[in-house]
Amino acid sequence: MGHTDEAVTKPLRADARRNRERLVEVAVEAFSTPGRDVSLEAIAKAAGVGIGTLYRHFPTREALVEAAYRSEVARLCDAVPGLLENAPPEVAMRAWMDRFVEYMTAKRGMLDTLRAIIASGGDPFTETKGRLRTAVGDLVGAGAAAGTLRADVDPADVLAAVSGVTLTTADREQAGRLLDLIMDGLRAPGTR
Amino acid sequence: MGHTDEAVTKPLRADARRNRERLVEVAVEAFSTPGRDVSLEAIAKAAGVGIGTLYRHFPTREALVEAAYRSEVARLCDAVPGLLENAPPEVAMRAWMDRFVEYMTAKRGMLDTLRAIIASGGDPFTETKGRLRTAVGDLVGAGAAAGTLRADVDPADVLAAVSGVTLTTADREQAGRLLDLIMDGLRAPGTR
DNA sequence: ACCTCAAACGGAATCGCCTCCGTTTACCCG
DNA sequence: CGGGTAAACGGAGGCGATTCCGTTTGAGGT
């Protein structure tokens, strides 16, 4: 009755888990380059497994893309605690934004397939959106607690702003400048 | 100045036109059976042409489906004058409804691909809808002029009603009874 | 009637998707 | 520490899509 997935997932054999991870890893890499459409066989080979193995783990191309997508989101969100440990919140926030740009860039290569997933009834977004919101919320919260970031910021707004930057900017440099701009707006009054 | 397509279409060689027609014909037939997904090669063979010929005329599967769809609509609309010549308007209307049911049945087999066409930006409907409206309008007009059908009927409503019947009924017999019912509603007062 | 040539034809060849099944291997148990 | 077993592996094979190019043919000009 869970709403997200199965609590009864069997422990998966060691080699199986290894291969699955390997596949997602390669898939992220492969899908990140836009324009190139990679064959599943190529991904399997790059991951050092047979095509059959790929298909057992991901019965359809969509399943693989979705896994790759989720994996990227997870990496992004999991990075937050580490960033907060090693730097003051406002610096962590800025660093996280940079990662976000990378993440969105990767997503572009998957866009077509993600569209297909949506068209066929799936919804890869609602879950991941929640996770992202939480991640930003943690950063904002830490900054507010430290007094360096404004406390009245809606994480969703930050997300939207950063998304906008990645979608509209051409190169990294420009994106960096815009992110700096956003950061300025996030700082608590008097901490400029 | 046409808004629908190219006024500069070259006259197409005789054999080419023959083959194209043949292909559409076979495609309609093939797509009309739901569930069966026909290979393009099968269609080509059934039409007695090589696979290359099929691809030259219809570069993608979608192009073929759309052509088949348009062809069906055209057949349906073109039938109206003939029906009106050989029968009083209310009888012609009823006969046309029967044909409409057949047409919708055929469309079901194409539904998936039509969906795909829409998803990729195409719109196979607006044009055909207009043609259908005109066709029904002619039938209604003739009936009104003859005094056997109500004059205040919106063709779009008739279309909607008949569509509803085809979508909800299981067998021909039931559909026939419902169409009779609709016909009754269309008759001019006192002509029951 | 014949010639010419662009248009049209057809199908072999290539490629990716996906299935199926014989082989290998991790893990548990005595 | 073997031994058994179910899980996992891997790739050959079947199938459809799509391209490419050598061959055929309709149609206009002489």
Side-chain angles (χ1 to χ4, degrees):
Chain A
M1 225 132 293
H3 47 335
T4 50
D5 52 35
E6 352 60 41
V8 280
T9 315
K10 283 176 207 160
L12 213 55
R13 230 168 70 177
D15 54 344
R17 194 168 39 71
R18 239 194 332 274
N19 281 333
R20 163 184 289 264
E21 278 165 16
R22 201 81 225 290
L23 280 167
V24 171
E25 198 178 314
V26 172
V28 167
E29 160 72 20
F31 291 143
S32 297
T33 320
R36 284 192 65 231
D37 36 335
V38 240
S39 77
L40 296 188
E41 329 228 353
I43 291 178
K45 193 182 315 181
V49 304
I51 183 68
T53 300
L54 184 153
Y55 268 89
R56 195 159 341 87
H57 287 301
F58 309 100
T60 67
R61 161 177 283 259
E62 288 165 19
L64 181 57
V65 170
E66 190 165 343
Y69 174 66
R70 277 193 213 281
S71 153
E72 282 298 277
V73 173
R75 267 202 332 133
L76 195 59
C77 294
D78 292 348
V80 168
L83 289 173
L84 282 175
E85 256 174 51
N86 296 315
E90 76 278 11
V91 176
M93 170 71 91
R94 183 61 182 71
W96 191 82
M97 286 181 177
D98 272 334
R99 299 216 185 183
F100 189 92
V101 171
E102 281 177 49
Y103 145 81
M104 284 289 281
T105 306
K107 232 174 41 172
R108 281 194 223 181
M110 308 181 194
L111 262 186
D112 283 341
T113 312
L114 282 174
R115 249 193 279 280
I117 294 176
I118 294 164
S120 58
D123 179 4
F125 292 122
T126 41
E127 182 210 335
T128 55
K129 194 149 197 170
R131 293 187 69 163
L132 286 170
R133 247 194 69 102
T134 304
V136 176
D138 288 348
L139 287 165
V140 170
T148 52
L149 294 181
R150 294 171 49 179
D152 61 346
V153 183
D154 183 343
D157 291 345
V158 178
L159 228 39
V162 180
S163 298
V165 168
T166 62
L167 287 176
T168 54
T169 56
D171 59 275
R172 282 293 166 90
E173 229 179 280
Q174 188 185 22
R177 284 196 301 273
L178 286 173
L179 291 179
D180 287 339
L181 211 63
I182 293 175
M183 272 310 300
D184 280 348
L186 294 178
R187 280 181 225 287
T191 58
R192 188 68 47 85
Chain B
M1 226 136 299
H3 48 333
T4 51
D5 52 33
E6 351 63 41
V8 280
T9 315
K10 282 177 207 159
L12 212 55
R13 231 169 68 179
D15 54 344
R17 193 169 39 71
R18 241 196 329 275
N19 281 333
R20 163 184 289 263
E21 278 165 15
R22 201 78 224 291
L23 280 167
V24 171
E25 198 178 316
V26 172
V28 167
E29 160 71 20
F31 292 142
S32 298
T33 320
R36 284 194 66 231
D37 33 334
V38 240
S39 78
L40 297 187
E41 329 225 356
I43 291 178
K45 191 180 319 179
V49 304
I51 183 67
T53 300
L54 185 154
Y55 268 90
R56 197 162 338 90
H57 286 301
F58 309 100
T60 68
R61 161 177 282 260
E62 289 165 18
L64 182 56
V65 170
E66 190 166 341
Y69 174 65
R70 277 193 213 281
S71 153
E72 282 298 276
V73 173
R75 267 202 332 133
L76 195 58
C77 295
D78 291 349
V80 169
L83 289 173
L84 282 176
E85 257 174 50
N86 296 315
E90 75 279 9
V91 176
M93 171 71 90
R94 183 61 181 74
W96 191 82
M97 285 181 178
D98 272 335
R99 297 216 185 182
F100 189 91
V101 171
E102 280 177 49
Y103 146 81
M104 284 289 281
T105 306
K107 233 174 39 173
R108 279 193 224 181
M110 309 182 192
L111 260 186
D112 283 341
T113 312
L114 282 175
R115 249 193 279 280
I117 293 176
I118 294 164
S120 58
D123 179 3
F125 293 121
T126 41
E127 181 209 337
T128 55
K129 195 151 195 168
R131 292 187 70 163
L132 286 170
R133 248 193 69 102
T134 304
V136 176
D138 289 348
L139 288 165
V140 170
T148 51
L149 294 180
R150 294 171 49 178
D152 61 345
V153 183
D154 182 343
D157 290 346
V158 178
L159 229 38
V162 180
S163 299
V165 167
T166 61
L167 287 175
T168 54
T169 56
D171 59 275
R172 284 292 165 89
E173 228 179 282
Q174 188 185 21
R177 285 196 301 274
L178 285 173
L179 290 180
D180 286 340
L181 212 61
I182 293 174
M183 272 310 301
D184 280 348
L186 293 179
R187 281 182 225 286
T191 60
R192 187 69 45 85

